[in-house]
């Protein structure tokens, strides 16, 4: 496991391309993804968690997987720390056709991405 770890990964999705839910995703995550009606929303969610899987492998090999994922009472996903392990925090965001995942050891991290759209001040 790497100490003092930080990483940000992003993916730009191809419009019209449908992503399959990986077999490595736990059933609860698969079920939550399938609740999205729009394929674009499902794709962004899949891409975000695939980025997280990539970061997890770099951070600690295969010791921690998405099957270890838990949620706070407010719904924020997290991985529980084990005695003697470095704490690991991550955050996911997606908008438009961009998915992003940021991760950090020994701290708390937040990330947000928003699609830029033209804005006409006269419409406001």
């Amino acid at each position: 496991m790497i100490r003092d770890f930080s990483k940000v990964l992003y993916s730009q999705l191809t419009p019209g391309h449908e992503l399959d839910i990986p077999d490595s995703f736990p059933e609860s995550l698969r079920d939550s993804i399938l609740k999205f009606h729009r394929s674009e929303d499902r794709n962004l969610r899949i891409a975000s968690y695939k980025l997280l899987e990539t970061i997890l492998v770099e951070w600690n090999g295969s010791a921690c997987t998405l099957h270890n994922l838990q949620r706070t009472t407010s719904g924020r996903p997290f991985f529980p720390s084990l005695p003697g392990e470095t704490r690991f925090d991550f955050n996911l965001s997606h908008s438009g056709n961009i998915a992003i995942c940021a991760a950090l050891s020994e701290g708390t991290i937040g990330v947000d991405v928003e699609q830029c759209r033209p804005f006409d001040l006269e419409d406001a």
Side-chain angles (χ1 to χ4, degrees), residues 4-9 52 55 72 76-79 87-93 100-113:
D4 298 326
F5 178 85
S6 64
K7 190 79 166 187
V8 177
L9 294 179
L52 177 58
I55 289 174
T72 65
R76 188 178 195 271
F78 74 98
F79 292 100
R87 186 177 179 284
F88 177 86
D89 191 50
F90 71 96
N91 199 236
L92 307 172
S93 183
I100 189 167
C101 178
L104 179 70
S105 64
E106 299 298 331
T108 303
I109 193 164
V111 64
D112 192 27
V113 61

Side-chain angles (χ1 to χ4, degrees), residues 41-66:
D41 295 329
R42 288 191 302 272
N43 286 343
L44 287 166
R45 189 82 162 180
I46 292 166
S48 296
Y49 279 98
K50 285 177 76 171
L51 293 171
L52 177 58
E53 276 188 324
T54 301
I55 289 174
L56 284 172
V57 168
E58 185 174 333
W59 178 62
N60 71 355
S62 61
C64 187
T65 69
L66 294 179

